[in-house]
Amino acid sequence: MTNLADRDWFQDPALKTLMALLNSGGAETRVVGGAVRNSLMGLPVGDIDLATTLLPEEVSGRAAAKGIKAVPTGIEHGTVTLVIDGKGYEVTTLRRDVETNGRHAQVAFGATWQEDADRRDLTMNALYVGVDGEVVDLVGGLADIETKTVRFIGNAEQRIAEDYLRVLRFFRFFAHYGSGRPDAEGLKASARARAQLKTLSAERVWAEMKKLLSARDPGRALLWMRQSGVLTEVLPETEKWGIDAIPGLIAAEQALGWAPDPLLRLCAIVPKDAARLVTLSERLRLSNAEALALDRFARAPKPQETVTDVAFDRDLYRFGKDGMISMLKLELASARVNAEHDQKAMARSARLFALLKRAEGFVRPVLPIKGSDVLAAGIVAGPKVGEILGKLEEGWIASQFNLTREDLLARLETLAKS
Ligand code: ATP
Ligand code: MG
């Protein structure tokens, strides 16, 4: 018997309150999913999901009676989110999936614990912890956690056909929690189902890929995704480019203390080509901020080792430091790999490291003259204003940002007369 009653997260007063509230009067509620899995693996516990014999309206009713906020976040699937001290707990009624079409499920409440476990995707995600802290394993999940085996519950092919997103979840959980090779049956079924991934909504695919790319080391998962043809299906841009840059990037992250960044990992496996990255951003419906980050990366020029600090600052000003930093990190990661057996690469990596530090410390100066100044100098509103402002900016950049407002106003006067 495995018991988690003494774990810190399980002792949390808010969770205790919820468990007491939802386990009285014949109701039974258990923690399920990621919290149980992570706790058993000795990893930090994030969001806490609960499964309950209560119907959604009974969950809301009990919460309301105690003044706890209840939000119907997924009511058609039986999910109510209870909020205590700003933290949300997803409470989902035991259910069976009665009709599935690869994307959505019709659900029926009043299921048994076994049925609720069986409708989940992976054995390591279907473990429960009861109010007494006892782990309930109805699918052989404990053994798979022991061996870090990511395995579908039941027949892999059938489980994937119910919801094709499970192909990506299989690789995502392998990236975070798997060891060795992925489960052979799951891998084969994923490869067979790959063509169906295009039926999924872009938002679900990108959300899943982002989580996969956030793993401490997604290298092996990406390798198997590529090998099974799944990666090409969701990221055709990686086809010719390949994923060879990933191990070097992971090594650099770990050696230099860079936090895992899903977008930087993405940049490492796609061509540095603005037009193709726009297509990718639109296809997967990236957020504006994410699309902008990719675009800035694509446009950032690769520096020569011989670049002067002055010229480099100009690039930082023109192309923005974020895109430059992404580009430098990837260049540095790749130089570090070669530096092991190549003197030149060693020198390059030292220079790139210095440039990276410089980029990180760069504060973008603000041009000390505006369009209104140009108008005040007597230029009529129109394209000429931008033209003159552009010339002034060029001169200011060339001066290493040293020209003062007075200098620029003097230049403006001359330009206005010509
Ligand atoms: P995370 O740490 O990312 O939150 P999690 O395991 O809690 O991981 P969630 O996406 O929060 O994952 O889902 C909670 C649980 O719901 C999962 O553990 C799994 O049992 C079940 N689940 C979620 N999505 C699916 C799916 N597409 N198919 C089957 N079961 C699913
Ligand atoms: Mg969760």
Side-chain angles (χ1 to χ4, degrees), residues 169-236:
R169 287 178 63 89
F170 174 70
F171 289 108
R172 190 244 288 192
F173 286 97
F174 178 73
H176 284 269
Y177 310 107
S179 91
R181 292 161 148 260
D183 170 60
E185 205 203 323
L187 190 62
K188 213 172 4 161
S190 295
R192 285 212 197 105
R194 66 181 181 271
Q196 303 301 320
L197 290 169
K198 60 177 173 299
T199 64
L200 294 169
S201 82
E203 287 83 356
R204 289 182 89 201
V205 169
W206 174 234
E208 209 48 62
M209 281 309 292
K210 210 158 49 169
K211 287 182 187 167
L212 190 152
L213 290 170
S214 302
R216 208 177 72 90
D217 182 358
R220 280 174 314 118
L222 289 169
L223 206 67
W224 287 106
M225 283 178 82
R226 184 168 165 79
Q227 205 266 343
S228 59
V230 167
L231 190 63
T232 302
E233 218 48 62
V234 286
L235 285 174

Side-chain angles (χ1 to χ4, degrees), residues 135-171:
V135 175
V136 180
D137 179 8
L138 306 170
V139 295
L142 275 174
D144 284 340
I145 284 197
E146 205 65 46
T147 56
K148 298 188 183 328
T149 304
V150 179
R151 195 197 308 276
F152 283 101
I153 297 167
N155 179 277
E157 205 157 344
Q158 189 184 327
R159 301 314 310 284
I160 287 173
E162 290 166 5
D163 178 0
Y164 290 108
L165 191 73
R166 289 175 188 160
V167 167
L168 299 182
R169 287 178 63 89
F170 174 70
F171 289 108

Side-chain angles (χ1 to χ4, degrees), residues 32-35 47-49:
V32 66
D47 290 346
I48 295 179
D49 304 310

Side-chain angles (χ1 to χ4, degrees), residues 59-326:
V59 173
S60 306
R62 286 190 184 208
K66 284 274 186 265
I68 296 170
K69 188 172 163 195
V71 190
T73 44
I75 203 76
E76 68 283 6
H77 293 116
T79 303
V80 174
T81 300
L82 301 186
V83 186
I84 301 187
D85 299 335
K87 190 170 149 76
Y89 297 80
E90 283 198 1
V91 186
T92 305
T93 302
L94 297 193
R95 62 178 231 217
R96 263 172 298 136
D97 293 346
V98 283
E99 235 185 86
T100 52
N101 68 357
R103 300 202 298 155
H104 300 287
Q106 287 270 348
V107 311
F109 301 138
T112 62
W113 287 100
Q114 184 70 55
E115 287 169 322
D116 187 73
D118 288 343
R119 62 104 181 154
R120 294 176 186 276
D121 50 0
L122 305 166
T123 58
M124 61 170 60
N125 287 346
L127 293 162
Y128 303 89
V129 180
V131 66
D132 53 0
E134 209 65 58
V135 175
V136 180
D137 179 8
L138 306 170
V139 295
L142 275 174
D144 284 340
I145 284 197
E146 205 65 46
T147 56
K148 298 188 183 328
T149 304
V150 179
R151 195 197 308 276
F152 283 101
I153 297 167
N155 179 277
E157 205 157 344
Q158 189 184 327
R159 301 314 310 284
I160 287 173
E162 290 166 5
D163 178 0
Y164 290 108
L165 191 73
R166 289 175 188 160
V167 167
L168 299 182
R169 287 178 63 89
F170 174 70
F171 289 108
R172 190 244 288 192
F173 286 97
F174 178 73
H176 284 269
Y177 310 107
S179 91
R181 292 161 148 260
D183 170 60
E185 205 203 323
L187 190 62
K188 213 172 4 161
S190 295
R192 285 212 197 105
R194 66 181 181 271
Q196 303 301 320
L197 290 169
K198 60 177 173 299
T199 64
L200 294 169
S201 82
E203 287 83 356
R204 289 182 89 201
V205 169
W206 174 234
E208 209 48 62
M209 281 309 292
K210 210 158 49 169
K211 287 182 187 167
L212 190 152
L213 290 170
S214 302
R216 208 177 72 90
D217 182 358
R220 280 174 314 118
L222 289 169
L223 206 67
W224 287 106
M225 283 178 82
R226 184 168 165 79
Q227 205 266 343
S228 59
V230 167
L231 190 63
T232 302
E233 218 48 62
V234 286
L235 285 174
E237 293 80 4
T238 62
E239 175 76 272
K240 292 231 169 59
W241 198 251
I243 55 172
D244 299 349
I246 289 288
L249 173 58
I250 305 304
E253 286 176 4
Q254 291 176 1
L256 303 173
W258 304 340
D261 174 356
L263 279 181
L264 188 61
R265 272 98 174 261
L266 179 63
C267 289
I269 61 176
V270 293
K272 192 170 166 304
D273 175 318
R276 297 202 68 189
L277 293 186
V278 168
T279 313
L280 185 161
S281 296
E282 285 173 357
R283 190 184 69 247
L284 291 179
R285 307 239 174 89
L286 267 58
S287 72
N288 289 340
E290 290 165 346
L292 188 66
L294 287 192
D295 191 61
R296 290 273 164 82
F297 159 74
R299 292 175 194 282
K302 291 187 186 179
Q304 305 290 322
E305 287 102 297
T306 51
V307 70
T308 61
D309 284 352
V310 171
F312 183 66
D313 282 358
R314 267 184 232 147
D315 283 347
L316 287 170
Y317 177 82
R318 282 214 180 88
F319 298 98
K321 78 183 225 180
D322 294 347
M324 294 284 285
I325 287 175
S326 299

